[in-house]
Amino acid sequence: QKCACEFLGVFVLVFTVVCQSLSGAAFGATSIACSLMVMIYATGPISGGHLNPAVSFALALSEKMKWSEVPVYWITQLMAGILAGFMACSLFTDTVDVAPKDTYSGWHAYLAETLYTFMLCFVVLNAAGSKRNNSPTDGNNFFALAIGFVIIAGGNAVGRVSGAAFNPAVAIGLDLSSHQKGVGNGFLWTLFELVGAGIAAAIYRDVRPEDYGNESDLDTYKPALLSKLLSEFLGVFFLVLTVGLNLCNGSAVTAWSAAAALMCMIYSLGDVSGAHFNPAVTLACMASGRDLINTLDGLAYMVAQVLAGVIAGCLYSVFHRSSLKSTSPITLAPGDGFSFHQAGMAEFAATALLAYIVLSCATVAHAGSQKTKNSFYFALCIGSCVTVGGFAVGAASGGELNPAVAAGIATASSVFQPGGQSAPMANFVTLGLYELAGGLLGAVAFQATHAKQYVDVCAGSAL
């Protein structure tokens, strides 16, 4: 049964990848993400819904799967990928080769596959494998949604770099079915995907050491500050990297891709650090009271968030240098026809909405159900704010909604300046202040609409 599930799931995924690639239909990454998501929901209760040799490898390294099962899973997954590749190619009488895209070199593709396979496996481990985040006695319902939407984040970010396989069954299936164009890159892609999976398993242990301790302590476990800071760093890093790579590659759906990245990482790390991933959100949590986070921890969060944004900005600037848009600057500045004040007010309003939604959906007791105490919607709502703000005010301000994202874009434009064009770093400070002010407004709005939360806190303190 497990092998049948893995075979069917991988077959559907790879068949979708090939058909989508050859048809050239819009929203390709979203189509592939949805195929992965539905097959994980369908097969997860039986086989675990790995549907990816790199995922099986990461789970085994993390002691979530027996090593004796890995070869059987791998063989099944690879056979399904190869068969689906040949059948889909015969349908279109064309093939999809595995190779660096556009103007990128091999090492760009290897790095892209490593980074986003890391993200995929890390989300699997946290959303599906964690003992606290997906308890055997009270499992979450969002695991497949989080995993599938990694493909929206990474597919739009690096689809024009490496093809965005993130899966040895996809890479080898496409490589062998396009043998007329040469064979070999699929196996190189696989090597770097397994490296990404291995790094994900290693960092998972640092973020969630409780999985390797006494299970009786899980109910009272409180993450250490270092685990929280690592959580915040990782979330912001992949958010800013995804934004930057979308911009480098001329994506028309940057906001959608960024929203998916944010949602995935919030679902993965929400119970570690609160998954703020934004200095304005951290400020809103501090300002809203209720002991959500103390001042020193909040400041530490902000440092980790901005540092992650800066490092991600430096990294994506390397891709920008080799992209088709290498002659076009990507700067932190108002859109054409807008003043800086207009851009700042757009950021202020959209960031206020984001902060308010975080406080309302992620920091209050939710209704739950008879079967689970887990909230399904919190990260979906927060990520959707990026979709709302990114598309609504992106033309005016860029739609960052986050000082850490602004720091990453400002850093990248300073590191690589096509034609010597670069916006001053002062733009980051100015827009960041508008965004922080938006976070404070979100906290004020929350206090006005959720007054009962403060009555309950006062009552609890009195007791």
Side-chain angles (χ1 to χ4, degrees):
Q1 287 183 329
K2 290 182 178 181
C3 288
C5 283
E6 289 296 306
F7 187 94
L8 179 60
V10 173
F11 184 92
V12 170
L13 173 63
V14 176
F15 195 87
T16 303
V17 169
V18 176
C19 291
Q20 182 66 53
S21 299
L22 292 177
S23 68
F27 290 95
T30 301
S31 168
I32 296 165
C34 289
S35 73
L36 177 61
M37 178 186 70
V38 298
M39 293 310 296
I40 291 175
Y41 275 131
T43 63
I46 300 169
S47 69
H50 302 183
L51 314 186
N52 184 334
V55 167
S56 298
F57 184 56
L59 288 166
L61 288 173
S62 303
E63 301 175 27
K64 308 291 183 182
M65 179 185 187
K66 295 178 181 178
W67 279 104
S68 59
E69 292 181 319
V70 173
V72 178
Y73 269 60
W74 277 13
I75 291 169
T76 303
Q77 292 158 348
L78 291 173
M79 288 177 59
I82 294 167
L83 179 61
F86 276 101
M87 289 187 66
C89 288
S90 67
L91 178 66
F92 281 85
T93 64
D94 197 359
T95 61
V96 183
D97 63 328
V98 179
K101 309 301 179 185
D102 295 337
T103 54
Y104 291 104
S105 65
W107 74 266
H108 288 104
Y110 306 150
L111 182 57
E113 289 295 311
T114 301
L115 286 166
Y116 280 95
T117 304
F118 167 92
M119 184 183 183
L120 177 62
C121 293
F122 188 74
V123 170
V124 170
L125 290 169
N126 282 277
S130 166
K131 293 178 181 179
R132 284 198 308 123
N133 203 21
N134 194 24
S135 166
T137 58
D138 186 19
N140 67 63
N141 292 316
F142 56 70
F143 63 97
L145 177 66
I147 296 165
F149 271 50
V150 174
I151 307 303
I152 295 176
N156 287 299
V158 298
R160 295 183 182 180
V161 178
S162 66
F166 318 150
N167 184 333
V170 173
I172 292 175
L174 268 59
D175 195 29
L176 294 182
S177 61
S178 63
H179 58 89
Q180 305 95 326
K181 300 177 181 178
V183 174
N185 278 340
F187 295 92
L188 275 174
W189 264 231
T190 293
L191 173 62
F192 286 95
E193 288 157 358
L194 293 177
V195 169
I199 298 172
I203 294 183
Y204 176 80
R205 290 174 179 265
D206 293 326
V207 172
R208 294 189 181 274
E210 73 273 16
D211 269 25
Y212 304 95
N214 189 338
E215 291 193 20
S216 63
D217 297 332
L218 288 177
D219 290 338
T220 58
Y221 175 79
K222 301 293 183 184
L225 180 59
L226 285 178
S227 293
K228 292 179 180 180
L229 295 179
L230 179 56
S231 164
E232 290 296 308
F233 182 94
L234 290 169
V236 174
F237 177 84
F238 277 101
L239 172 61
V240 176
L241 183 67
T242 300
V243 170
L245 289 171
N246 271 272
L247 294 174
C248 290
N249 292 305
S251 171
V253 291
T254 299
W256 177 229
S257 180
L262 180 61
M263 185 195 76
C264 296
M265 297 305 284
I266 291 175
Y267 275 135
S268 298
L269 298 169
D271 67 333
V272 177
S273 66
H276 300 179
F277 306 155
N278 184 334
V281 168
T282 298
L283 182 60
C285 289
M286 294 164 62
S288 73
R290 299 176 297 143
D291 297 322
L292 293 180
I293 185 170
N294 64 53
T295 303
L296 289 179
D297 285 3
L299 293 174
Y301 271 35
M302 292 181 185
V303 171
Q305 292 158 352
V306 173
L307 178 63
V310 168
I311 292 174
C314 291
L315 180 58
Y316 88 68
S317 70
V318 175
F319 285 84
H320 185 198
R321 190 182 300 270
S322 298
S323 72
L324 289 174
K325 294 180 70 66
S326 60
T327 58
S328 303
I330 299 173
T331 60
L332 190 67
D336 293 340
F338 292 91
S339 69
F340 214 100
H341 177 66
Q342 289 173 315
M345 289 305 297
E347 289 294 304
F348 171 75
T351 306
L353 172 65
L354 173 62
Y356 175 76
I357 295 302
V358 170
L359 293 173
S360 301
C361 295
T363 71
V364 302
H366 48 82
S369 72
Q370 295 179 345
K371 294 185 177 180
T372 179
K373 295 179 181 179
N374 284 309
S375 164
F376 177 86
Y377 58 80
F378 68 101
L380 181 61
C381 291
I382 297 167
S384 295
C385 289
V386 175
T387 304
V388 172
F391 285 118
V393 304
S397 65
E400 291 83 19
L401 284 57
N402 186 331
V405 174
I409 294 174
T411 300
S413 68
S414 298
V415 171
F416 177 57
Q417 305 174 11
Q421 300 180 58
S422 175
M425 286 297 290
N427 286 6
F428 152 63
V429 177
T430 305
L431 277 183
L433 290 174
Y434 276 105
E435 290 157 352
L436 290 171
L440 291 175
L441 178 60
V444 171
F446 175 80
Q447 291 179 24
T449 60
H450 289 69
K452 186 176 184 298
Q453 294 293 319
Y454 296 90
V455 174
D456 293 342
V457 168
C458 290
S461 299
L463 292 175

